[in-house]
Amino acid sequence: MDDTNNPPLAWSRNVAGMTLIELREATLSLTLSQSRHGVPQPQLEVILPASAVHRQLRAALHAFSASLELATPASERWLVQMEILDAPRRGRLYLELAEGSHPEAMRGLMLLHTLMG
């Protein structure tokens, strides 16, 4: 089944009591960082509004993560990871790349970009 024309899950649904407006108020930042081992690491940082609670952050990260997993081609071997950086407002999704190559990192960045709507 090809869902490439559907909007990402987190933007199209009410997720764990978070309304579409609350998600639109989130700040999303896409970067290519490096792991502690110097390997490229595509990441999407999520910062929720000041009114957010810890569970809303976790729900948003899980929703983004699920969307990313479902959009990842079967040929890619990276791992989708999430991390709480500053509860209850800030977390990130990042890809642990299988090969650590620049082309793989760019493919990962492009896929993460689709989550930003």
Coordinates of all heavy atoms in Angstrom, one line a residue, residues 23-91:
L23 N -0.2 21.0 18.0 CA 0.9 20.5 17.2 C 1.4 21.5 16.2 O 2.6 21.6 16.0 CB 0.4 19.2 16.4 CG 0.3 18.0 17.3 CD1 -0.3 16.8 16.5 CD2 1.6 17.6 17.9
R24 N 0.5 22.4 15.7 CA 1.0 23.4 14.8 C 1.8 24.5 15.6 O 2.6 25.1 15.0 CB -0.2 24.1 14.2 CG -0.7 23.3 13.0 CD -1.6 24.1 12.1 NE -2.0 23.3 11.0 CZ -3.2 23.3 10.5 NH1 -4.1 24.1 11.0 NH2 -3.5 22.5 9.5
E25 N 1.6 24.6 16.9 CA 2.4 25.5 17.7 C 3.7 24.9 18.1 O 4.6 25.6 18.6 CB 1.6 25.9 19.0 CG 0.4 26.7 18.7 CD -0.5 27.0 19.9 OE1 -0.1 26.5 21.0 OE2 -1.5 27.6 19.8
A26 N 4.0 23.6 17.8 CA 5.2 23.0 18.0 C 6.3 23.6 17.1 O 6.0 23.9 16.0 CB 5.1 21.5 17.9
T27 N 7.5 23.6 17.6 CA 8.6 24.1 16.8 C 9.4 22.8 16.4 O 9.8 22.0 17.2 CB 9.6 25.0 17.6 OG1 8.9 26.1 18.0 CG2 10.8 25.4 16.7
L28 N 9.6 22.6 15.1 CA 10.3 21.5 14.5 C 11.6 22.0 13.9 O 11.5 22.9 13.1 CB 9.4 20.7 13.5 CG 8.1 20.3 13.9 CD1 7.3 19.6 12.8 CD2 8.2 19.3 15.1
S29 N 12.7 21.3 14.2 CA 14.0 21.7 13.6 C 14.7 20.5 13.1 O 15.0 19.5 13.8 CB 14.8 22.3 14.7 OG 16.1 22.7 14.3
L30 N 14.9 20.5 11.8 CA 15.6 19.4 11.1 C 17.0 19.7 10.9 O 17.4 20.8 10.4 CB 14.9 19.2 9.7 CG 15.4 18.1 8.8 CD1 15.2 16.7 9.5 CD2 14.7 18.1 7.5
T31 N 17.9 18.8 11.4 CA 19.4 19.0 11.2 C 20.1 17.7 10.9 O 19.5 16.6 11.2 CB 20.0 19.6 12.5 OG1 19.8 18.7 13.6 CG2 19.4 21.0 12.8
L32 N 21.3 17.8 10.4 CA 22.1 16.7 10.2 C 23.2 16.8 11.3 O 24.1 17.7 11.1 CB 22.7 16.6 8.8 CG 23.7 15.4 8.6 CD1 22.9 14.1 8.8 CD2 24.2 15.5 7.2
S33 N 23.1 16.1 12.4 CA 24.1 16.2 13.4 C 25.1 15.0 13.3 O 25.1 14.3 12.3 CB 23.4 16.2 14.8 OG 22.7 15.0 15.0
Q34 N 25.8 14.8 14.3 CA 26.7 13.6 14.3 C 26.5 12.9 15.6 O 26.3 13.5 16.7 CB 28.2 14.1 14.3 CG 28.6 14.5 12.9 CD 30.1 14.7 12.8 OE1 30.8 14.7 13.8 NE2 30.6 14.9 11.6
S35 N 26.6 11.6 15.5 CA 26.6 10.7 16.7 C 27.9 10.9 17.5 O 28.8 11.5 17.0 CB 26.4 9.3 16.4 OG 27.6 8.8 15.8
R36 N 27.9 10.4 18.7 CA 29.1 10.5 19.5 C 30.3 9.8 18.9 O 31.5 10.0 19.3 CB 28.9 10.0 20.9 CG 28.5 8.6 21.0 CD 28.3 8.1 22.4 NE 27.5 6.9 22.4 CZ 26.6 6.5 23.2 NH1 26.3 7.3 24.2 NH2 26.0 5.4 23.1
H37 N 30.0 9.0 17.9 CA 31.1 8.2 17.2 C 31.5 8.9 15.9 O 32.2 8.4 15.1 CB 30.7 6.8 16.9 CG 30.2 6.1 18.1 ND1 31.1 5.7 19.1 CD2 29.0 5.6 18.5 CE1 30.5 5.1 20.0 NE2 29.2 5.0 19.7
G38 N 30.9 10.1 15.6 CA 31.2 10.9 14.4 C 30.5 10.5 13.2 O 30.8 10.9 12.1
V39 N 29.5 9.6 13.3 CA 28.7 9.2 12.2 C 27.5 10.2 11.9 O 26.9 10.7 12.9 CB 28.1 7.8 12.5 CG1 27.1 7.3 11.4 CG2 29.2 6.8 12.7
P40 N 27.2 10.5 10.7 CA 26.1 11.4 10.4 C 24.8 10.9 11.1 O 24.6 9.7 11.1 CB 25.9 11.4 8.9 CG 27.2 10.9 8.4 CD 27.8 10.0 9.4
Q41 N 24.0 11.9 11.6 CA 22.8 11.5 12.3 C 21.7 12.5 12.0 O 21.6 13.5 12.6 CB 23.1 11.4 13.8 CG 22.0 10.8 14.6 CD 22.4 10.6 16.1 OE1 22.5 11.6 16.8 NE2 22.7 9.4 16.4
P42 N 20.8 12.1 11.0 CA 19.7 13.0 10.7 C 18.8 13.0 12.0 O 18.5 12.0 12.6 CB 19.0 12.3 9.6 CG 20.0 11.4 9.0 CD 20.9 11.0 10.1
Q43 N 18.3 14.3 12.3 CA 17.4 14.4 13.5 C 16.4 15.4 13.3 O 16.5 16.4 12.5 CB 18.2 14.6 14.7 CG 18.8 16.0 14.8 CD 19.4 16.3 16.2 OE1 19.6 15.4 17.0 NE2 19.6 17.6 16.5
L44 N 15.3 15.2 14.0 CA 14.2 16.2 14.0 C 13.9 16.5 15.5 O 13.5 15.6 16.2 CB 12.9 15.6 13.4 CG 11.7 16.5 13.4 CD1 11.9 17.7 12.5 CD2 10.4 15.7 13.0
E45 N 14.2 17.7 15.8 CA 13.9 18.2 17.2 C 12.5 18.7 17.3 O 12.1 19.5 16.4 CB 14.9 19.3 17.6 CG 14.8 19.7 19.1 CD 15.8 20.6 19.5 OE1 16.7 21.0 18.7 OE2 15.8 21.0 20.7
V46 N 11.8 18.4 18.3 CA 10.4 18.8 18.6 C 10.4 19.6 19.9 O 10.8 19.1 20.9 CB 9.5 17.6 18.6 CG1 8.1 18.0 18.9 CG2 9.6 16.7 17.4
I47 N 9.9 20.8 19.8 CA 9.7 21.6 21.0 C 8.2 22.0 21.1 O 7.7 22.7 20.2 CB 10.6 22.9 21.0 CG1 12.0 22.5 20.8 CG2 10.3 23.7 22.3 CD1 13.0 23.7 20.7
L48 N 7.5 21.6 22.1 CA 6.1 21.9 22.3 C 5.9 23.2 23.0 O 6.9 23.7 23.7 CB 5.4 20.7 23.0 CG 5.4 19.4 22.3 CD1 4.7 18.3 23.2 CD2 4.8 19.5 20.9
P49 N 4.7 23.7 23.0 CA 4.4 25.0 23.7 C 4.6 24.8 25.2 O 4.6 23.7 25.7 CB 3.0 25.3 23.4 CG 2.6 24.4 22.2 CD 3.6 23.3 22.2
A50 N 4.8 25.9 25.9 CA 5.0 25.9 27.4 C 3.9 25.2 28.1 O 4.1 24.6 29.2 CB 5.2 27.3 27.9
S51 N 2.7 25.1 27.6 CA 1.6 24.5 28.3 C 1.6 22.9 28.2 O 0.8 22.3 28.8 CB 0.3 25.0 27.7 OG 0.2 24.7 26.3
A52 N 2.6 22.4 27.4 CA 2.6 21.0 27.2 C 3.0 20.2 28.4 O 3.7 20.7 29.3 CB 3.6 20.6 26.1
V53 N 2.6 19.0 28.5 CA 2.9 18.1 29.6 C 3.8 16.9 29.0 O 3.8 16.7 27.8 CB 1.7 17.5 30.4 CG1 0.9 18.7 31.0 CG2 0.8 16.7 29.4
H54 N 4.5 16.3 29.9 CA 5.4 15.2 29.5 C 4.8 14.2 28.6 O 5.4 13.7 27.6 CB 6.0 14.5 30.8 CG 6.9 13.4 30.5 ND1 8.2 13.7 30.0 CD2 6.8 12.1 30.7 CE1 8.8 12.5 29.9 NE2 8.0 11.5 30.3
R55 N 3.6 13.7 28.9 CA 2.9 12.7 28.1 C 2.6 13.2 26.7 O 2.6 12.4 25.8 CB 1.7 12.2 28.8 CG 2.0 11.5 30.1 CD 1.0 10.4 30.5 NE 1.4 9.8 31.7 CZ 2.1 8.7 31.9 NH1 2.6 8.2 30.8 NH2 2.4 8.2 33.0
Q56 N 2.3 14.5 26.6 CA 2.0 15.0 25.2 C 3.3 15.0 24.4 O 3.3 14.6 23.2 CB 1.5 16.4 25.3 CG 0.1 16.5 25.8 CD -0.3 17.9 26.0 OE1 0.4 18.8 26.5 NE2 -1.5 18.2 25.6
L57 N 4.5 15.3 25.0 CA 5.7 15.2 24.3 C 6.0 13.7 23.8 O 6.3 13.5 22.7 CB 6.9 15.7 25.1 CG 8.3 15.5 24.5 CD1 8.4 16.3 23.2 CD2 9.3 16.0 25.5
R58 N 5.8 12.8 24.8 CA 6.1 11.4 24.4 C 5.1 10.9 23.3 O 5.5 10.2 22.4 CB 6.0 10.5 25.6 CG 7.1 10.7 26.6 CD 7.1 9.7 27.8 NE 7.0 8.3 27.4 CZ 8.0 7.6 27.0 NH1 9.2 8.1 26.9 NH2 7.9 6.3 26.6
A59 N 3.8 11.3 23.4 CA 2.8 11.0 22.4 C 3.2 11.5 21.0 O 3.1 10.8 20.0 CB 1.5 11.4 22.8
A60 N 3.7 12.8 21.0 CA 4.1 13.4 19.7 C 5.3 12.7 19.1 O 5.3 12.4 17.9 CB 4.4 14.9 19.9
L61 N 6.2 12.4 20.0 CA 7.4 11.7 19.5 C 7.1 10.3 19.0 O 7.6 9.8 17.9 CB 8.5 11.6 20.6 CG 9.2 12.9 20.9 CD1 10.1 12.7 22.1 CD2 9.9 13.5 19.7
H62 N 6.2 9.6 19.7 CA 5.7 8.2 19.2 C 5.0 8.4 17.9 O 5.2 7.5 17.0 CB 4.9 7.6 20.3 CG 5.6 6.9 21.4 ND1 6.4 5.8 21.2 CD2 5.8 7.2 22.7 CE1 7.0 5.5 22.3 NE2 6.6 6.3 23.2
A63 N 4.1 9.4 17.8 CA 3.4 9.5 16.5 C 4.3 9.8 15.4 O 4.2 9.2 14.3 CB 2.3 10.7 16.7
F64 N 5.2 10.7 15.6 CA 6.2 11.0 14.5 C 7.0 9.8 14.2 O 7.3 9.5 13.0 CB 7.1 12.2 14.9 CG 6.5 13.5 14.8 CD1 6.6 14.4 15.9 CD2 5.9 14.0 13.7 CE1 6.1 15.7 15.8 CE2 5.4 15.3 13.6 CZ 5.4 16.1 14.7
S65 N 7.4 9.1 15.2 CA 8.3 7.9 15.0 C 7.5 6.8 14.2 O 8.0 6.2 13.3 CB 8.7 7.3 16.4 OG 9.4 6.1 16.2
A66 N 6.2 6.6 14.5 CA 5.4 5.7 13.8 C 5.3 6.1 12.3 O 5.4 5.2 11.4 CB 4.0 5.5 14.4
S67 N 5.0 7.4 12.1 CA 4.9 7.8 10.7 C 6.2 7.6 9.9 O 6.2 7.2 8.8 CB 4.6 9.3 10.7 OG 3.3 9.6 11.2
L68 N 7.3 7.9 10.6 CA 8.6 7.7 10.0 C 8.9 6.2 9.7 O 9.4 5.8 8.6 CB 9.7 8.2 10.9 CG 11.2 8.2 10.3 CD1 11.2 9.0 9.0 CD2 12.1 8.8 11.3
E69 N 8.6 5.3 10.6 CA 8.7 3.9 10.4 C 7.9 3.4 9.2 O 8.4 2.7 8.4 CB 8.3 3.1 11.7 CG 9.3 3.2 12.8 CD 10.5 2.4 12.7 OE1 10.8 1.8 11.7 OE2 11.3 2.3 13.7
L70 N 6.7 3.9 9.2 CA 5.8 3.4 8.1 C 6.2 4.0 6.7 O 6.0 3.4 5.7 CB 4.4 3.8 8.4 CG 3.7 3.1 9.5 CD1 2.4 3.7 9.9 CD2 3.6 1.6 9.2
A71 N 6.9 5.1 6.7 CA 7.3 5.7 5.5 C 8.7 5.3 5.0 O 9.1 5.5 3.9 CB 7.4 7.3 5.6
T72 N 9.4 4.6 5.9 CA 10.8 4.1 5.6 C 10.7 2.9 4.6 O 10.0 1.9 4.8 CB 11.5 3.7 6.8 OG1 11.7 4.8 7.7 CG2 12.9 3.1 6.5
P73 N 11.4 3.1 3.5 CA 11.4 1.9 2.5 C 12.1 0.7 3.1 O 12.9 0.8 4.0 CB 12.3 2.5 1.4 CG 12.3 4.0 1.5 CD 12.2 4.2 3.0
A74 N 11.6 -0.5 2.7 CA 12.1 -1.7 3.2 C 13.6 -1.9 3.0 O 14.2 -2.6 3.7 CB 11.3 -2.9 2.6
S75 N 14.1 -1.2 2.0 CA 15.5 -1.4 1.7 C 16.4 -0.7 2.7 O 17.6 -0.9 2.7 CB 15.8 -0.9 0.3 OG 15.5 0.5 0.2
E76 N 15.9 0.3 3.5 CA 16.7 1.0 4.4 C 16.8 0.2 5.7 O 15.9 -0.4 6.2 CB 16.1 2.4 4.7 CG 16.0 3.3 3.6 CD 17.4 3.8 3.1 OE1 18.5 3.4 3.6 OE2 17.4 4.5 2.1
R77 N 18.0 0.2 6.3 CA 18.3 -0.6 7.5 C 18.5 0.3 8.8 O 18.9 -0.2 9.8 CB 19.5 -1.5 7.3 CG 19.2 -2.5 6.2 CD 20.4 -3.5 5.9 NE 21.5 -2.7 5.5 CZ 22.7 -2.8 6.1 NH1 22.9 -3.7 7.1 NH2 23.8 -2.1 5.7
W78 N 18.3 1.6 8.7 CA 18.5 2.4 9.8 C 17.5 2.1 10.9 O 16.4 1.5 10.7 CB 18.5 3.9 9.5 CG 17.2 4.4 8.8 CD1 15.9 4.3 9.3 CD2 17.1 5.1 7.6 NE1 15.1 4.9 8.4 CE2 15.8 5.4 7.4 CE3 18.1 5.5 6.6 CZ2 15.3 6.1 6.3 CZ3 17.6 6.2 5.5 CH2 16.3 6.5 5.3
L79 N 17.8 2.6 12.1 CA 16.9 2.5 13.3 C 16.3 3.9 13.6 O 17.1 4.8 13.7 CB 17.6 1.9 14.5 CG 18.2 0.5 14.4 CD1 19.0 0.2 15.6 CD2 17.1 -0.5 14.1
V80 N 15.0 3.9 13.8 CA 14.4 5.2 14.2 C 14.4 5.2 15.8 O 14.0 4.3 16.4 CB 12.9 5.2 13.8 CG1 12.3 6.5 14.3 CG2 12.9 5.2 12.2
Q81 N 15.0 6.2 16.3 CA 15.2 6.4 17.8 C 14.5 7.7 18.2 O 14.4 8.6 17.4 CB 16.6 6.4 18.2 CG 17.4 5.2 17.7 CD 17.1 3.9 18.5 OE1 16.3 3.9 19.4 NE2 17.8 2.9 18.1
M82 N 14.1 7.7 19.5 CA 13.6 9.0 20.0 C 14.2 9.2 21.4 O 14.6 8.3 22.1 CB 12.1 9.0 20.1 CG 11.5 8.0 20.9 SD 9.7 8.1 20.8 CE 9.3 7.6 22.4
E83 N 14.3 10.5 21.8 CA 14.9 10.8 23.0 C 14.2 12.1 23.6 O 13.9 13.0 22.9 CB 16.4 11.1 22.7 CG 17.2 11.6 23.9 CD 18.6 11.9 23.6 OE1 19.0 12.1 22.4 OE2 19.5 11.9 24.5
I84 N 14.0 12.0 24.9 CA 13.4 13.2 25.6 C 14.6 14.0 26.0 O 15.6 13.5 26.7 CB 12.7 12.8 26.9 CG1 11.5 11.8 26.6 CG2 12.2 14.0 27.6 CD1 10.4 12.4 25.7
L85 N 14.7 15.3 25.6 CA 15.8 16.2 25.9 C 15.6 17.1 27.1 O 16.5 17.3 27.9 CB 16.2 17.0 24.7 CG 16.6 16.2 23.4 CD1 16.7 17.2 22.2 CD2 17.9 15.5 23.6
D86 N 14.4 17.6 27.2 CA 14.0 18.5 28.3 C 12.5 18.4 28.5 O 11.7 19.1 27.9 CB 14.4 19.9 27.9 CG 14.2 20.9 29.0 OD1 14.1 20.5 30.2 OD2 14.1 22.1 28.7
A87 N 12.1 17.4 29.3 CA 10.7 17.2 29.6 C 10.2 18.4 30.3 O 10.8 19.0 31.1 CB 10.5 15.9 30.4
P88 N 9.0 18.8 30.1 CA 8.0 18.1 29.2 C 7.9 18.7 27.8 O 6.9 18.4 27.1 CB 6.7 18.5 30.0 CG 6.9 19.8 30.5 CD 8.3 19.9 30.8
R89 N 8.8 19.5 27.4 CA 8.6 20.2 26.1 C 9.5 19.8 25.0 O 9.2 20.1 23.8 CB 8.9 21.7 26.4 CG 7.9 22.3 27.4 CD 8.1 23.8 27.5 NE 8.0 24.5 26.2 CZ 8.9 25.4 25.8 NH1 9.8 25.8 26.6 NH2 8.7 25.9 24.6
R90 N 10.7 19.2 25.2 CA 11.6 19.1 24.1 C 12.1 17.7 24.0 O 12.5 17.0 24.9 CB 12.8 20.0 24.4 CG 13.7 20.2 23.3 CD 14.7 21.4 23.6 NE 16.0 21.1 23.0 CZ 17.1 20.8 23.7 NH1 17.1 20.8 25.0 NH2 18.2 20.5 23.0
G91 N 12.1 17.2 22.7 CA 12.6 15.8 22.4 C 13.1 15.8 21.0 O 13.0 16.8 20.3

